[in-house]
Amino acid sequence: MKRKTTVLLGSALAAFLLLAGVFTINQLAAFSELLSRIHPYAGYGFLVIASAIIIFTLLSVIRFFRMPKRPRLPLNETARDFPFYVDYLCMTLSAHPLHNEPLRKEKDLRWLRANLKLLEVDSLNTIKQIATKNFFVGAFAQNTSYGTTTSLKNILKAVWNTYAIHHRNHHAMEFSALVRSVYACLPLSDFKKDDIPAHIKPIIQSSFSNTLSSLLPGGNLLTPFFMNLFLAGATNTYLTCLSGIIAIRHCQAVSEDDHREIVQQSMFEASFMLKEIVRECNPILSVTISNAVKKAGIESLDTVQPPSVGSNIAQDIVSHLATSLKSIIRENISVETGERR
């Protein structure tokens, strides 16, 4: 079936290109003949210019989708082709401006490792900023089309920034290959039930350890709501951190040994970054939700009608209860505002 599909798509593409070429040539010839009636050399000049434009466009397309030549990844640092791969990385990777010897011509493995460490720091800072945004996207826009598309865009942005920081020249096909490699390393890309607990563990730990201390007293009805927001945001953040760190490891791999440990190293580093981000975002999200709930409660209580002549005892009790709750909520808001000041 796969072979038949490939043959079908290939023949359809060839037929489309043939028809497009014939149609284009006919139109160019007709317009050239029309210009020749105005001036004898106008038609030939038009054909030369049109041919140059078409050739330039084809060369631009080939250049855009061309995959750069990349030497084979050596098995380890003792392999025979390892020095050649180090030379290739030194030529293609960006030289960090804070490097002690950024303009050094003869670059060796020591220079490469120092440069990779500086590039890694810049990449991690960028990934942390994007992952922080994705925390709030996951918390407030979970299970929505906007939240899904925004999260995906931010994850791709993290991978792209990592690629752009490391590489001096950017290639579309090389970036596409990096995206495919990152996706293949993410959980659920190839469903394996044994790998899921290892990814869920840091999400649960970061959410519970950073939110339970700020939640309202136990048994409060808002506790599940808070936890749902934190779990959704933490999951989104973890996937963003994991994607960015996997991209770093792919860009900085110098041997097959480094390539085999990409997932394990990335999970370990993504867990630490996740804890830092959730710890920083915890006060912001908690205060935002608490204030929103209090304001919504006051506005809801304002709809309760005050006691009037002829009202029954139940209506009077509800009215007095609403007034008492509004005063309590306003006192809590004023106390919290004074403490912040």
Side-chain angles (χ1 to χ4, degrees):
M1 184 64 184
K2 183 178 180 181
R3 184 178 179 181
K4 293 180 180 179
T5 305
T6 304
V7 173
L8 176 62
L9 294 178
S11 59
L13 179 61
F16 173 79
L17 293 177
L18 178 61
L19 293 176
V22 171
F23 177 80
T24 303
I25 292 174
N26 288 335
Q27 294 300 317
L28 292 177
F31 191 71
S32 175
E33 184 179 355
L34 178 63
L35 292 177
S36 298
R37 297 176 183 177
I38 301 174
H39 192 277
Y41 298 102
Y44 295 106
F46 170 75
L47 289 177
V48 171
I49 295 175
S51 301
I53 293 175
I54 293 175
I55 293 174
F56 178 77
T57 303
L58 291 176
L59 292 177
S60 300
V61 171
I62 294 173
R63 183 181 179 184
F64 181 80
F65 289 102
R66 183 182 61 184
M67 189 74 173
K69 294 183 179 180
R70 186 184 184 93
R72 187 177 181 180
L73 196 66
L75 182 61
N76 48 48
E77 296 185 5
T78 61
R80 182 181 302 177
D81 53 348
F82 181 75
F84 299 101
Y85 192 78
V86 171
D87 295 338
Y88 165 79
L89 290 180
C90 292
M91 289 188 299
T92 56
L93 291 180
S94 303
H96 198 278
L98 297 181
H99 198 286
N100 295 331
E101 301 170 324
L103 301 178
R104 182 180 176 182
K105 295 182 178 180
E106 297 180 359
K107 301 172 183 178
D108 53 6
L109 182 59
R110 182 183 62 83
W111 184 94
L112 177 63
R113 293 196 181 280
N115 188 57
L116 289 177
K117 183 59 66 176
L118 294 172
L119 295 176
E120 180 181 357
V121 173
D122 289 352
S123 301
L124 289 175
N125 291 333
T126 304
I127 292 170
K128 185 176 181 181
Q129 294 176 0
I130 298 175
T132 302
K133 295 179 182 179
N134 257 3
F135 176 84
F136 294 104
V137 172
F140 292 113
Q142 56 178 323
N143 300 327
T144 62
S145 58
Y146 170 78
T148 303
T149 54
T150 305
S151 300
L152 178 59
K153 186 181 75 171
N154 287 336
I155 292 176
L156 291 176
K157 185 178 180 181
V159 178
W160 165 254
N161 287 337
T162 301
Y163 172 78
I165 289 173
H166 282 80
H167 291 80
R168 187 179 305 169
N169 299 318
H170 305 152
H171 302 275
M173 298 304 295
E174 188 177 30
F175 174 68
S176 300
L178 177 62
V179 171
R180 291 195 301 268
S181 301
V182 171
Y183 178 78
C185 296
L186 292 178
L188 301 182
S189 60
D190 183 13
F191 186 77
K192 296 178 181 178
K193 292 187 290 185
D194 297 337
D195 298 339
I196 295 178
H199 293 283
I200 295 180
K201 181 180 178 181
I203 297 174
I204 299 297
Q205 288 179 339
S206 62
S207 299
F208 276 79
S209 61
N210 289 282
T211 57
L212 288 180
S213 59
S214 63
L215 290 176
L216 298 176
N220 194 285
L221 296 177
L222 292 178
T223 300
F225 177 69
F226 269 89
M227 291 306 305
N228 188 28
L229 294 181
F230 274 97
L231 286 174
T235 303
N236 220 17
T237 303
Y238 175 75
L239 291 176
T240 307
C241 296
L242 187 62
S243 301
I245 295 175
I246 288 175
I248 293 176
R249 295 292 158 253
H250 274 289
C251 293
Q252 297 194 353
V254 296
S255 65
E256 288 287 352
D257 293 339
D258 298 335
H259 203 270
R260 295 192 190 98
E261 300 176 357
I262 283 179
V263 177
Q264 295 298 326
Q265 292 179 355
S266 301
M267 289 174 57
F268 182 74
E269 297 179 18
S271 301
F272 275 95
M273 184 178 291
L274 173 63
K275 293 179 181 179
E276 294 178 1
I277 293 174
V278 174
R279 188 182 301 113
E280 295 174 1
C281 297
N282 174 35
I284 300 175
L285 185 61
S286 300
V287 171
T288 302
I289 298 300
S290 298
N291 291 339
V293 170
K294 291 174 182 178
K295 291 179 181 179
I298 292 177
E299 293 177 357
S300 299
L301 293 174
D302 287 337
T303 59
V304 179
Q305 298 295 331
S308 58
V309 179
S311 59
N312 54 33
I313 299 177
Q315 291 177 344
D316 293 342
I317 293 176
V318 171
S319 177
H320 286 297
L321 180 60
T323 304
S324 302
L325 288 175
K326 283 193 292 185
S327 62
I328 293 173
I329 293 175
R330 288 196 177 97
E331 289 177 0
N332 291 335
I333 294 177
S334 60
V335 169
E336 291 181 358
T337 305
E339 290 178 352
R340 293 195 198 101
R341 293 178 180 176

